[in-house]
Structures are given as structure tokens and as C-alpha cells.
Amino acid sequence: MSRVGRLLRRPRPRLVSLRTTFAVSFATVTAVVTVVVGILSYSAAARLVRVDQQSVFDEVVQDVRDEVSNRRMDPVDFSSTAPGHDLVRPARTDVQVLGPDGSVYDPGRPGLPVTDSDRRIAAQQVSGRTVVHADVDVGNDVYRVATVSFGGGRGAVQIAQEFSNTEDLLRALQQRTLILTSAVVVGAGLFGWWLARRITRRLIVLTSAAEDVARTRQLGIQVPVTGYDEVGRLGRAFDRMLGRLAQSEEDQRRLVQDAGHELRTPLTSLRTNISLLRRIDEFPQETRDELVADLATEARELTDLVNELVDLAAGQSDSEPPQRVDLAEIAEEVAGLAQRRTGRRIVVRASGDTTTDGRAGMLQRAMSNLVENATKFDRGGTATIEINVAGPAVHGPVRVEVLDRGPGITDDDLTHVFDRFYRAADARPMPGSGLGLSIVREVALSHGGATFAARRPGGGSVIGFTVGGG
């Protein structure tokens, strides 16, 4: 089998849910921390207990050495029948007395083993000589034994401290630590599972909503949003994204429908005139000229309509990066270009701070459409066309308006001039598609602004837009 075939037949990796991952991770971290803390705590406790027991034993041995060094003492002084012997027999301490020859003079309870080194200590002439035996087994218990000489060959005393109980205590502590650690790990796993389920519950809802959108391709699905944490913010962002996508889809559908409707008329007229070309030899010269002129006009209008549709689509695109732009400078460029094309006098008046964050190409297209609209409806006029750019005194929108002395706008048309393909009754004989001002509206909305239109005192119109804070 080929390598490609093996890759295709390779089983897909099993997906692990975020809930399981979170719960296992939480339990693992808790287990590691608990085990480390348990080991350190047990080690510290065991060390303190052992050090404490060793310190007590060393103090008892030192007290006995000081006593036999400062006074002449005999085996009878440490006998269990001697008064005051409890002073040198603290709790959990066994005492056994050896005679001069190393024999047991007074046995301990229990009796302690006697070695050759203990017998040599018992025969020592110098008092206070000591030999220590660690981990001495006495019956079922473990002792630490120290043998201290009386001096003068008078014998020795053996002091033993039991360590079995201490080790038993430490073993019990170790077992309890293990049980507690296991309980904490199990509890952490259960708590992690509950916490992961609580945290991921809203993520599962968002995932289901995304899968429903992918399966049904319906962007109008309502996304349930709760909370104000990161998951809540994600839910609201996802809901807003679906809303924008749904609006974009609706805008595209409406644009296609409107474009199809508007293209139908020029295409029908163009098709009719083309069919007449087959009989052009039957028509007089004057009719031929009119037919050719009509074809040229219709082709030009169709070209303009397609270009404006492209501009409208480009106006809805966010591919151009936003940057700091000066609307007064853009207005100067637009005025200069329109003045060269039309020969009309166009002046620019700017006031305040006219800079803002925006897309220069889109803003230039919007201003050009406003100026073109003004020159088109005042084709034979000679009055100056004005472009006013006014910045706010404080933070706020920048206002751009174009003023002309054309026929003006009727009250019925004021609320529709920015609609797609809308053309006033007196503007229908003029060339155009009715898309120019709708492009202005799209540009303004994409920059956080709005459009406006009004009749100008003394005749003409004022049409413009605002863009977000300067």
C-alpha cells in the first residue's frame, strides 16, 4: 500500500473534551502539589521528632555523666531500690546497672544486652567514660543504649531510650498522610470535574450554536449570552459577529436584487436596439445616427452602473487599513480633480481640527460622489460649489458638506436620496444609476458617522456626512 493510502487509512485521533482535559489537569496539579507538600511535611515532622528524641536522650546521658563525674557513685546509688532513682529515669527511659566485672547488678525493665565494650566501660578507672549503641533490639522493640562508667573500676550504668514507639508513631503519621493525600487527590478530581463542567457549560452552548450555523447556514440563530467574564465576552462577540454576518448577507442579497432590477432596463433597451441593427440598411441616415447614439448612451450608462456597483462593493470592504487622515486635504484633492473635469469653480472651507481615523480612499470616493452629484444636477449653472469641512471644538465627529445652487431637493425626496438606486422624478431623465449617494452612506456608516441632506436657503441643496471623533 502506498504512503498516501496508509495516511488516508490511518485512524483519526480521538478528540478529548475540554472538560476532561481541564478536570485531569486540575487533578494532576492538585495531586502533585499535595504529594509534594505531604512528603515535605512528613519529612519535616519526622526529622523534628527524631531530633527531639535524640536531644532528650543526649541530655539524659549528659546529666548522668555530670553526676558520676562530680560525685563518687557506686552501683547501689543507681539501683531501683535506691531513693531518688526516678530522677535519672525519665519516661520511656530504661536503666540497668552493671557491676565492676560487667555483670548485671540491677537489671532493667526490660533487661538490656551487655557487650564487651560495656564490660570494658564498667572496668574503667575514669568516671564518665561513655559508649553508645544505636538501634539495639530488645525483644520486639528498638532502643538506643549508652553505657557510662562510675570510675575506679566500680561498674557502670546503662541508659536506654525506646525508639520503637516513635517509629510506630511516624509510620502511623505516614499512613495517615497517604490516606489524606489520596482523599485530597480524589476530591480534587471530583471538584475539578464539577468546576470544568460549570466553566465549559457556556462554551458547549457556544459550540452548539456554531455547529448549528455551520450545519444550517442560518446566521440568525440566537446565541444565549450570560456572565461578564471571558466566556461571556466571547458569547457577546460571537453574537455580534453573527449579527454582522447576517446583515452583510442581507445587504449582499438586496444589492444583487436591486442591481438585477436596475440592469434589466438598460439591457432590455440595449437588446432591442441591437435587434434593430439587423435592419439598419432599411432606415434613413437620420434614424441610423439616432440608433447609434442611443447604443452609445446605453452602453455608457451600463458602464457607469457597473462601475458604481463595483465602487459600492469596494465601499463595503474593510481591506484598506485605517490611518490618520486630514479631511480638509482630501477635500482639496477632490475639488481640484472635479474642477479640472467640469470647469466649475469649487472652493473648500475648513475650520477646526479636520483630522480623524479613517480610510482615505473610501472618504475620497464619498466626497467625489457628493461633488459629482452637485455638478450633475446643476449642469448649466455657474454658481460656485462649496465643500465645507468642520472639525469639532472638542472630541466629536468631523462634518463634511457640499453646497450647490441646483434645483434643490423636495420634501418627499429628502428621506430617500441615500437609498440604493433611488432617483427623484426630475432626475430620471439624467444619466446616473442612483448609487452615488448610497455609496456615501456606506462610507459614513463604516466610519461611525451618518449622512444628511437639506434644502439650502436661497436655492440648491446641502448634502454631506459625518465621520467619527476627530
Side-chain angles (χ1 to χ4, degrees):
M1 183 182 294
S2 65
R3 184 173 182 269
V4 175
R6 289 195 300 271
L7 290 176
L8 291 177
R9 295 174 64 89
R10 181 178 298 173
R12 296 177 60 186
R14 186 176 181 181
L15 297 179
V16 179
S17 66
L18 180 62
R19 179 185 302 176
T20 303
T21 302
F22 186 86
V24 172
S25 300
F26 188 86
T28 302
V29 172
T30 305
V32 171
V33 173
T34 304
V35 169
V36 171
V37 172
I39 292 175
L40 294 178
S41 300
Y42 171 78
S43 300
R47 182 174 180 275
L48 288 176
V49 170
R50 290 190 176 105
V51 169
D52 181 68
Q53 292 294 323
Q54 180 67 44
S55 299
V56 171
F57 180 75
D58 292 342
E59 289 178 0
V60 171
V61 172
Q62 186 62 41
D63 289 342
V64 172
R65 292 182 63 188
D66 293 341
E67 189 171 3
V68 300
S69 298
N70 294 331
R71 295 192 309 165
R72 174 187 172 88
M73 302 192 74
D74 296 315
V76 69
D77 296 322
F78 283 91
S79 173
S80 58
T81 59
H85 68 277
D86 288 338
L87 295 177
V88 296
R89 295 189 181 188
R92 299 175 62 193
T93 301
D94 189 19
V95 176
Q96 179 171 276
V97 182
L98 302 180
D101 58 352
S103 61
V104 177
Y105 177 82
D106 186 9
R109 297 178 182 85
L112 303 176
V114 180
T115 64
D116 293 338
S117 60
D118 297 326
R119 295 186 183 92
R120 286 193 294 270
I121 289 294
Q124 280 285 333
Q125 297 298 317
V126 180
S127 63
R129 292 294 176 88
T130 305
V131 62
V132 179
H133 307 283
D135 300 331
V136 178
D137 294 328
V138 181
N140 295 326
D141 298 321
V142 178
Y143 284 79
R144 178 171 293 177
V145 181
T147 304
V148 181
S149 66
F150 294 142
R154 294 188 298 274
V157 58
Q158 287 183 301
I159 304 162
Q161 187 178 40
E162 183 183 353
F163 281 91
S164 297
N165 289 340
T166 301
E167 295 301 322
D168 292 341
L169 175 64
L170 292 179
R171 279 193 295 270
L173 177 62
Q174 185 181 45
Q175 293 176 354
R176 293 184 180 182
T177 302
L178 291 175
I179 294 174
L180 181 61
T181 300
S182 302
V184 170
V185 171
V186 173
L190 296 176
F191 179 75
W193 179 262
W194 174 83
L195 184 63
R197 182 177 181 180
R198 182 178 179 86
I199 292 176
T200 59
R201 181 169 51 195
R202 290 177 292 166
L203 290 176
I204 293 174
V205 173
L206 291 179
T207 302
S208 299
E211 291 174 346
D212 289 342
V213 171
R215 184 180 65 257
T216 63
R217 298 186 180 181
Q218 298 294 326
L219 299 177
I221 293 177
Q222 185 68 29
V223 179
V225 179
T226 57
Y228 297 93
D229 54 3
E230 288 79 1
V231 179
R233 289 170 54 194
L234 175 62
R236 282 186 287 273
F238 185 68
D239 190 52
R240 288 194 299 268
M241 179 189 70
L242 287 181
R244 292 192 63 179
L245 289 175
Q247 183 62 43
S248 176
E249 185 181 46
E250 175 63 21
D251 291 342
Q252 291 179 3
R253 184 188 61 80
R254 188 157 48 89
L255 176 61
V256 171
Q257 291 178 349
D258 293 343
H261 175 74
E262 292 298 321
L263 286 171
R264 190 175 297 113
T265 299
L267 287 175
T268 300
S269 178
L270 190 62
R271 187 166 54 249
T272 300
N273 287 332
I274 290 175
S275 65
L276 293 176
L277 287 177
R278 300 175 181 176
R279 301 168 51 196
I280 193 170
D281 294 337
E282 302 175 7
F283 301 141
Q285 185 63 40
E286 182 180 354
T287 304
R288 297 178 185 178
D289 294 340
E290 291 178 359
L291 180 59
V292 173
D294 287 344
L295 285 172
T297 300
E298 291 163 357
R300 183 169 57 253
E301 290 183 357
L302 188 60
T303 301
D304 293 339
L305 177 59
V306 172
N307 289 336
E308 289 186 339
L309 285 173
V310 173
D311 289 341
L312 182 61
Q316 294 176 337
S317 174
D318 294 338
S319 59
E320 182 183 4
Q323 57 185 345
R324 199 69 181 173
V325 295
D326 190 341
L327 294 179
E329 294 181 357
I330 296 177
E332 291 286 356
E333 296 176 2
V334 170
L337 182 60
Q339 193 164 285
R340 289 191 295 271
R341 287 178 177 174
T342 63
R344 296 287 297 273
R345 184 169 182 267
I346 303 174
V347 298
V348 177
R349 295 185 176 90
S351 61
D353 183 9
T354 59
T355 59
T356 186
D357 293 326
R359 297 174 173 85
M362 296 172 64
L363 293 170
Q364 185 175 17
R365 186 183 303 114
M367 289 190 196
S368 298
N369 288 353
L370 291 178
V371 173
E372 182 180 348
N373 185 76
T375 57
K376 180 173 64 176
F377 287 97
D378 190 19
R379 186 177 298 274
T382 58
T384 300
I385 297 175
E386 303 175 14
I387 304 178
N388 292 338
V389 183
V394 292
H395 291 290
V398 181
R399 182 183 179 92
V400 179
E401 58 184 21
V402 175
L403 300 85
D404 62 60
R405 289 297 183 185
I409 306 174
T410 65
D411 292 336
D412 294 336
D413 294 332
L414 281 176
T415 57
H416 298 289
V417 292
F418 294 101
D419 294 344
R420 290 175 181 172
F421 302 107
Y422 181 80
R423 302 183 70 189
D426 55 353
R428 289 169 187 166
M430 299 181 181
S433 63
L435 286 175
L437 294 184
S438 65
I439 294 175
V440 176
R441 183 181 62 180
E442 297 292 340
V443 173
L445 292 177
S446 68
H447 285 78
T451 53
F452 57 87
R455 291 194 300 274
R456 185 182 183 187
S461 60
V462 180
I463 304 179
F465 63 92
T466 60
V467 295

